Amino acid sequence: MTTKATKSKKSPAKKTATAPDGGKAFRFDVGDSKESMKTSILNHLRYTLARHEENATQDEWWTATCYAVRDRLLDRFMKTQAVHHKQKVRRAYYLSLEYLMGRLLINNLHNAGLFEQTRDALTELGQDFNEVADEEADMGLGNGGLGRLAACFLDSLATLDLPAVGYGIHYEFGLFRQKFRDGYQVELPDNWMDKGCPWEVMRPNFAQEVKLYGRVEHQMDDKGVFKPKWVDTKTVEGVPFDISIVGYGGETVNFLRLWGARSSDEFDLDTFNQGGYTEAVHEKAFSETITKVLYPNDSTESGKELRLVQQYFFVSCSLRDIIRRFEANHSDWSEFADYNALQLNDTHPAIAIPELMRLLIDEYALEWDAAWEITRGVCNYTNHTLLPEALEKWSVPLFEKVLPRHLEIIYEINSRFLQGEVEAKWPGDDAKKSELSIIEEGNPKMVRMAYLSVVGSTKVNGVAALHTELLKKNLFATFHELYPNKLINMTNGITPRRWLLACNPGLSELITKEVGDGWPKHLDELQAISKLADNAAFQKKFMDIKRANKQAFADFVLEDSGTEISPDAIFDVQIKRLHEYKRQHLNLLHILTLYRRLLNDPDYEMNPRVFIFGAKAAPGYALAKNIIRAINKVAEKVNNDSRINGKIKIVFPQNYRITMAEKMIPAADLSEQISTAGKEASGTGNMKLALNGALTIGTLDGANVEIGEEVGDENIFIFGNTVEQVEAIKSKGYNPYDYYNSNWELKAVIDWLRSDYFTPGEHDAFAPLCSSLLEGGDPFLCLADYADYVRVQEDVDKAFSDKKRWAKMAIMNTARVGKFSSDRTIGQYAEQIWHLKPVQVEA
Ligand SMILES: *Cc1c(COP(=O)(O)O)cnc(C)c1O
């Protein structure tokens, strides 16, 4: 990707590209033709960027193109919103601390039906379309699957013509940029708005004020009614930045509203008037810190005050915005739940529950019971994890400091819940009360955000069938007894527009030729290619496209790192956040096993394999970082070992992100989904890879189970202990040494990793990793699954040798994963949770 503006412009624009009237042109031509796009792009170059086309840089062409596209989206956006407003529609509000959007240009063009003409317009203006599109920085305002799910959902909501708004935070810095130095991960700031963000519209007129800190005064009003007052607060202003979300087909344009924090005038002036100029400026800086950076922790909660402030800030802004929109059309609070449904993406926005209570009671003077009926009537909560360490808890003292009034409300919710519902169900049972209490006893006491979310929601959902069953059995078992209809399943999905149509044009074109062009909106239509799975001519076309995608990725790797990889090898791909439960280290043990076999047995037969990794580790997660370094250091050795004739290569490009995933997924043969059974809630990377014709090697975990059901046992490689077996092993007292001592090959590779073979002269480089596998008790059972994993990898190798069989399996994967379109998921949310109907916005 070109990052410097100076080296951007490769060739001067064609002379003929000058606007017809020599530069004045028609500012209001927002037609969809190629000529209209050309005029618009040139106008923006001139009137938005103040540049002559002769010396505009490539990133300026990108900016001008985005503005030209945005004009068209905004027209449809305003039309959509006018229809929604006029019809007083019910809306869904998706609240998420993360949106992993990636790049927007190419997807917006496809969805808006502007792709060909814009590509041709740029070409005729003398620009290389792909290079211009490559100027865009990823909008990486999320960590991984949870944030990407939110982005896929926005795409599906608009595509299904559902009135919806996404709310989140306008982080100045998204997920860190990753570099490797001597194999170590180094984190650098992600300055994604470097070149500006032409997609967003800042709307200061819709700013909201949020209060924080302070204390609660308990007083009576003039009628003798108890009226707590939250005083001595700090005020921060939230300014919305709106991003248009265009559905496929382009009629409905919803929006994502991201809040940026600014100091409020009031807040500054107080200090300022007391003569404290520098203090005022300091306070201003504090306000703006709130939305400065995304917390880069994945799956583990961090408990930082600023993060609680972030959560409250965006939730409060969003609720006030929702209420403002409601009040524009309605005056009766009893109607609030008829027009609004809220979805909480994990517990991160769970503070919405006490905040909505506070707004209704303290600011709109509703009674508790009425407020509670409304709050519980509109909120719904999605759980994303079974890992206990990932469940958010906030200490009561911290809560009291930042949100004292909310703490009171949470105590009241808890007390009414325990004395009311729990007492009614289990009279006199104090054990049940302390088990279900939103407040966990201890020093300090903690607020259990997941319990608050369950109590305060209409529906609670898991994200894959297995995950939901495990929630019912374990994490929320007692809640499930209390509320038997609250917990439901909504298996995750991915948008086929980004994850096939846009990222794999070769395969998309082939599919369209065979089944027509309806599949991006009706992914089940891919079923039709299963009848061609045995057809030699179709197999050849399908696998030629795979090979071309592999070649393109090989070209990228060569340019990126100088490593040569062959497109004839098996491309074995594991791309996801680095986490012990995802077991990249199990993959590494397999690589070491093959490497040893090749070195010790000159006749060892295997297809050449390229192991491809993409992963960021949370900066504070030492063991995950040690695994990254181990992969990098093993790669250095293996890739340069002439004894193995290039049979194994390991590539680990830096800075895995959406744009990288879009290159890797179309090139993958094998999809590694090898989490410890019972730990991965769903996964969505597994769906993207299967859709693009990669075969899964996986455990019976998360959505792998459902992928297996869809593609059939003969088209997936399942291995390892099941959830029940994992439980049984653990309850017997798991000892990794039992496996280490009884499997000489396993022992050999772990000992090898412990030696300084991969880090000559540097001892104990991978001691943290090796000790976690042995002395540390191997909490994620790598050793228990190792032998079966290696065995099934041999099946993979055999299957790959049979080109016809592999091609058939790959085609069957693409053909049969239509279920995993996020359109199906969102359809289920709309029907079963939000009770939301499509609203047609005529083109
Ligand atoms: C899909 C995706 C994820 C989630 O991957 P899993 O394998 O489901 O954990 C994470 N990061 C990026 C960039 C993705 O595109």
Side-chain angles (χ1 to χ4, degrees), residues 498-544:
R498 180 175 293 263
W499 297 112
L500 182 52
L501 181 66
C503 77
N504 198 342
L507 185 55
S508 297
E509 199 187 324
L510 175 67
I511 292 170
T512 299
K513 269 192 205 135
E514 295 298 339
V515 312
D517 60 6
W519 61 268
K521 253 183 127 145
H522 305 281
L523 201 59
D524 286 326
E525 292 178 8
L526 294 189
Q527 280 286 5
I529 67 166
S530 61
K531 65 177 189 296
L532 298 166
D534 275 314
N535 177 309
F538 187 76
Q539 285 191 351
K540 179 167 183 335
K541 286 184 213 161
F542 192 94
M543 294 313 288
D544 281 353

Side-chain angles (χ1 to χ4, degrees), residues 263-282:
S263 68
S264 76
D265 292 335
E266 175 201 344
F267 177 32
D268 279 337
L269 277 177
D270 272 358
T271 323
F272 194 77
N273 291 339
Q274 291 157 26
Y277 169 75
T278 47
E279 287 77 5
V281 173
H282 180 77

Side-chain angles (χ1 to χ4, degrees), residues 17-21 23-49 51 60-73 75 114 117-118 121-122 125:
T18 318
D21 61 353
K24 277 187 266 168
F26 348 109
R27 264 181 92 64
F28 300 105
D29 176 2
V30 284
D32 291 351
S33 71
K34 179 182 73 186
E35 288 309 317
S36 290
M37 288 309 298
K38 268 162 88 170
T39 306
S40 251
I41 293 168
L42 289 171
N43 277 338
H44 277 294
L45 212 49
R46 185 177 183 90
Y47 298 112
T48 308
L49 301 174
R51 291 293 275 170
E60 287 167 333
W61 282 103
W62 169 76
T63 307
T65 306
C66 293
Y67 277 124
V69 176
R70 192 184 78 170
D71 289 343
R72 279 119 187 111
L73 300 191
D75 275 338
L114 297 168
Q117 53 272 53
T118 305
L122 270 174
L125 290 167

Side-chain angles (χ1 to χ4, degrees), residues 130-141:
N130 291 317
E131 282 184 21
V132 169
D134 227 20
E135 290 289 336
E136 185 162 354
D138 273 40
M139 193 175 175
L141 310 185

Side-chain angles (χ1 to χ4, degrees), residues 100 143-145 148 499 575-577 582 656-658 661 673 680 683-686 688:
L100 199 48
N143 274 284
R148 183 55 231 173
W499 297 112
I575 46 175
K576 45 185 76 252
R577 283 299 287 260
K582 292 175 182 279
Y656 177 62
R657 62 196 186 284
I658 298 287
Q673 306 300 337
E680 186 75 88
T684 50
N686 47 4
K688 301 167 196 166

